Amino acid sequence: MIYSVRGKLVHTTPSGAVVECGGVGYHCQTTVNTLKALRLNTEVTLYTYLNVREDAMELFGFATTAELEAFKTLISVSGVGPKAGLAVLSVMTAEQVAMAIATDDIKSITRAPGIGKKIAQRIILELKDKLSVSSAEGTQASSTNYGAAGAGVGNVPKAIEALGVLGYAPSDVAGVLAKLDSSLPVEQLIAMTLRQMGRN
């Protein structure tokens, strides 16, 4: 598995970036949000996902590991392929995707080209199911963290739930969130947590 590519950005397309590493140009399909963060002829790092099919191997690249994790989470949903995952993450950040799933916000997800109401409902339903399982597994650990660190106040519980959508266990993030201002907007708490964990 290719974890990342680092090199000079030599070319972009509306849906991709070519990074030259050691004389080889790697074409990574990517999102509008990642493309906005890149500049031609500068050194860039893209965190990658290699999709292997019978007839092709496709490399997807993202500016942050949070976006990569959101992409992998989205394509784990039945009927949601890489193109749909890119479409969603081109109109929403990883934090916004997590919030939309945690709050049943179908409207925001359907802003992505090619994503209808049924697909958006499936994304929310399947990922909420995964979230409830992981939350159940982490309940004891997270309640301990709440008690010790005071992480169960304000918008922190909502942030923990949304971070669960991105694959983070409550026990992993409660300690970080406990140090933040619980009155901050949920999306800001998510972004700050990801940054402090070195994932954004």
Side-chain angles (χ1 to χ4, degrees):
M1 178 62 73
I2 302 172
Y3 176 75
S4 65
V5 293
R6 182 179 181 183
K8 186 178 180 181
L9 180 67
V10 294
H11 181 67
T12 61
T13 68
S15 60
V18 178
V19 181
E20 190 176 275
C21 310
V24 179
Y26 292 89
H27 179 260
C28 299
Q29 296 182 56
T30 190
T31 66
V32 170
N33 288 327
T34 284
L35 286 171
K36 285 178 182 175
L38 305 178
R39 284 189 303 160
L40 270 174
N41 301 314
T42 63
E43 186 172 280
V44 299
T45 299
L46 293 180
Y47 300 95
T48 57
Y49 175 83
L50 181 63
N51 186 45
V52 180
R53 303 184 331 206
E54 286 183 16
D55 58 343
M57 290 197 332
E58 302 170 309
L59 192 61
F60 297 86
F62 305 92
T64 66
T65 54
E67 192 176 35
L68 170 63
E69 291 306 316
F71 175 76
K72 291 195 287 190
T73 300
L74 285 167
I75 64 173
S76 71
V77 176
S78 59
V80 178
K83 285 185 179 178
L86 290 181
V88 172
L89 287 166
S90 286
V91 297
M92 304 174 75
T93 64
E95 295 84 4
Q96 289 169 338
V97 170
M99 275 297 299
I101 294 165
T103 60
D104 296 325
D105 185 0
I106 292 172
K107 188 176 180 181
S108 290
I109 297 173
T110 56
R111 287 192 294 120
I115 304 295
K117 188 175 179 181
K118 286 185 179 178
I119 292 290
Q121 287 173 328
R122 188 181 306 150
I123 288 171
I124 289 172
L125 180 65
E126 286 193 26
L127 295 181
K128 274 245 181 180
D129 285 347
K130 288 181 183 178
L131 176 60
S132 64
V133 170
S134 75
S135 293
E137 290 171 350
T139 297
Q140 188 173 355
S142 63
S143 62
T144 301
N145 283 335
Y146 288 166
V153 296
N155 286 325
V156 169
K158 290 179 185 175
I160 287 176
E161 183 180 358
L163 284 158
V165 174
L166 296 179
Y168 297 97
S171 57
D172 294 335
V173 298
V176 176
L177 283 162
K179 299 172 186 173
L180 303 177
D181 181 353
S182 63
S183 66
L184 289 171
V186 178
E187 193 174 321
Q188 192 173 344
L189 287 172
I190 297 167
M192 291 173 72
T193 301
L194 291 171
R195 274 197 295 273
Q196 290 199 25
M197 294 178 73
R199 297 298 183 96
N200 200 4

